[in-house]
Amino acid sequence: MTYVFGPVPSRRLGMSLGVDLIPPKTCTYDCLYCQVGRTTKMIAEPQPLVPVDQVISEIKGKLSRTSPDTITLAGSGEPTLNSDIGRVISGIKGLTRTRVAVLTNGSLFSKEDVRRRVLDADIILPTLTSVYEETFKIIHRPHPGLFVADIIDGIIRLRNEFKGQLFLEVVFLAGINHSEREIEGLKAAIGLIAPDRVQLNTVVRPPADERAISLDNKILEEIMVFFGGNTEIIAGSARKAGTGENDLLIDNLLEMIKRRPLKTADIATALGLQLEDVEDLIKGLLIKGRIRKQQHSGDVYYLSNKNIH
């Protein structure tokens, strides 16, 4: 399949069937912490990017063989850059009652047409890292037409119009955005956005830039207490068990790790296999040169040798 991958284990959405609506690596940002790699095409105006009929056909075929918890519009770039995202959401709704999530950096919701296109989703998961322009630029290296004040205003407008659930991801990088000033500014912005959940995250997979360093979990816990209410830490949280319905194990494994690096336990969960079976599978693929491994924060991750950089 060209546009559909998984299901893969998601820390927030259970077993998630991924839908990639963006050519790699097309985005509004070039984030330090991105697990997919450096942005190769930076744009800020949505446009048709993939054939909607083929996307829906692939989703229909996948749903005939597996039952994911969520269908997630995400993948190799910023999904709201696809001006047909509304048609894709509508097409999915015509196939299944499975909830639809949009995993987004939140950069384009100041545009009314972008907000309108995603209103039929069930869950929208935008990201916020800072309320200060200088920090925003350091972390995201954004398109020159994007400014953090407009982005925050756009997310607030989305919250007022959207009837589904809004989960706001706040990503922290050690030494960059966890000062008292930064945290207090974020709390004030969160109060204005009023998301259903605030999900604290940090670097958990090999990032695009070595300056993206994980924030200590103890500090994340202190921030969680300070934010209060509906705040949770999602960095390093357990994955939900897989369905065991995947039939083409090697193809599924390669498709998953092409999209993002995974640990052995993640692969075992996604494919419904025992760890020892996954280790045997990985060993053979390593010997054949089809995958490679990379260490990060004491853990070993597996990547495709055709992985997106």
Side-chain angles (χ1 to χ4, degrees):
M1 291 192 174
T2 302
Y3 304 107
V4 178
F5 58 98
V8 296
S10 167
R11 286 165 288 155
R12 296 185 279 177
L13 299 170
M15 291 303 297
S16 170
L17 184 65
V19 182
D20 196 347
L21 298 180
I22 303 294
K25 167 74 172 27
T26 303
C27 197
T28 55
Y29 292 164
D30 184 17
C31 300
L32 295 180
Y33 60 84
C34 185
Q35 66 193 30
V36 182
R38 295 296 303 270
T39 294
T40 54
K41 183 178 181 181
M42 184 175 288
I43 59 174
E45 288 297 327
Q47 53 191 268
L49 292 169
V50 299
V52 173
D53 290 345
Q54 185 175 344
V55 171
I56 298 303
S57 176
E58 288 189 12
I59 295 170
K60 183 177 181 180
K62 198 73 170 183
L63 290 175
S64 70
R65 303 190 299 276
T66 188
S67 300
D69 300 307
T70 311
I71 298 173
T72 305
L73 309 185
S76 304
E78 172 49 41
T80 61
L81 279 171
N82 191 319
S83 58
D84 288 323
I85 190 171
R87 292 178 58 202
V88 173
I89 293 172
S90 177
I92 295 170
K93 293 289 185 176
L95 293 176
T96 178
R97 294 184 179 180
T98 303
R99 60 184 183 174
V100 177
V102 179
L103 192 61
T104 169
N105 62 28
S107 60
L108 297 178
F109 291 132
S110 61
K111 300 176 183 290
E112 182 180 358
D113 54 347
V114 174
R115 297 197 304 272
R116 184 179 66 250
R117 290 173 191 140
V118 299
L119 292 181
D120 287 337
D122 299 291
I123 308 170
I124 300 177
L125 303 95
T127 298
L128 186 65
T129 62
S130 180
V131 302
Y132 297 107
E133 189 69 25
E134 63 271 25
T135 308
F136 168 74
K137 287 181 176 178
I138 290 170
I139 293 174
H140 296 296
R141 297 178 290 201
H143 185 281
L146 298 175
F147 302 93
V148 71
D150 296 333
I151 290 165
I152 294 171
D153 181 68
I155 297 174
I156 293 170
R157 290 174 182 270
L158 176 70
R159 171 71 286 182
N160 292 334
E161 299 167 5
F162 181 51
K163 304 304 181 184
Q165 293 183 296
L166 188 80
F167 297 170
L168 183 68
E169 178 189 37
V170 183
V171 179
F172 286 100
L173 305 181
I176 298 180
N177 68 331
H178 76 284
S179 67
E180 183 175 336
R181 173 177 179 259
E182 292 282 349
I183 293 169
E184 288 178 351
L186 283 165
K187 183 174 182 179
I190 290 167
L192 295 173
I193 295 168
D196 295 284
R197 298 184 192 176
V198 179
Q199 299 179 318
L200 308 186
N201 206 354
T202 189
V203 183
V204 294
R205 294 189 176 92
D209 192 298
E210 63 183 9
R211 289 175 291 171
I213 300 172
S214 300
L215 190 62
D216 184 80
N217 194 66
K218 183 179 180 180
I219 300 176
L220 285 177
E221 290 174 355
E222 293 171 354
I223 296 171
M224 179 180 68
V225 172
F226 179 68
F227 283 176
N230 56 351
T231 305
E232 60 185 345
I233 297 171
I234 62 168
S237 59
R239 272 75 168 173
K240 188 175 179 179
T243 63
E245 296 176 0
N246 298 302
D247 47 6
L248 301 175
L249 298 180
I250 292 177
D251 287 345
N252 279 339
L253 188 157
L254 293 173
E255 187 65 16
M256 287 189 296
I257 64 175
K258 182 176 73 174
R259 305 290 177 170
R260 62 176 182 174
L262 292 175
K263 295 186 290 187
T264 304
D266 298 332
I267 297 168
T269 299
L271 299 181
L273 299 175
Q274 298 296 316
L275 280 174
E276 59 187 40
D277 295 327
V278 173
E279 289 167 355
D280 288 342
L281 189 60
I282 287 172
K283 182 178 179 180
L285 293 172
L286 284 169
I287 292 171
K288 293 181 178 181
R290 300 188 68 183
I291 66 174
R292 58 192 172 91
K293 62 182 178 180
Q294 179 175 324
Q295 288 193 334
H296 176 68
S297 297
D299 291 318
V300 175
Y301 290 82
Y302 293 94
L303 304 83
S304 169
N305 269 339
K306 295 182 179 179
N307 205 35
I308 302 163
H309 294 281

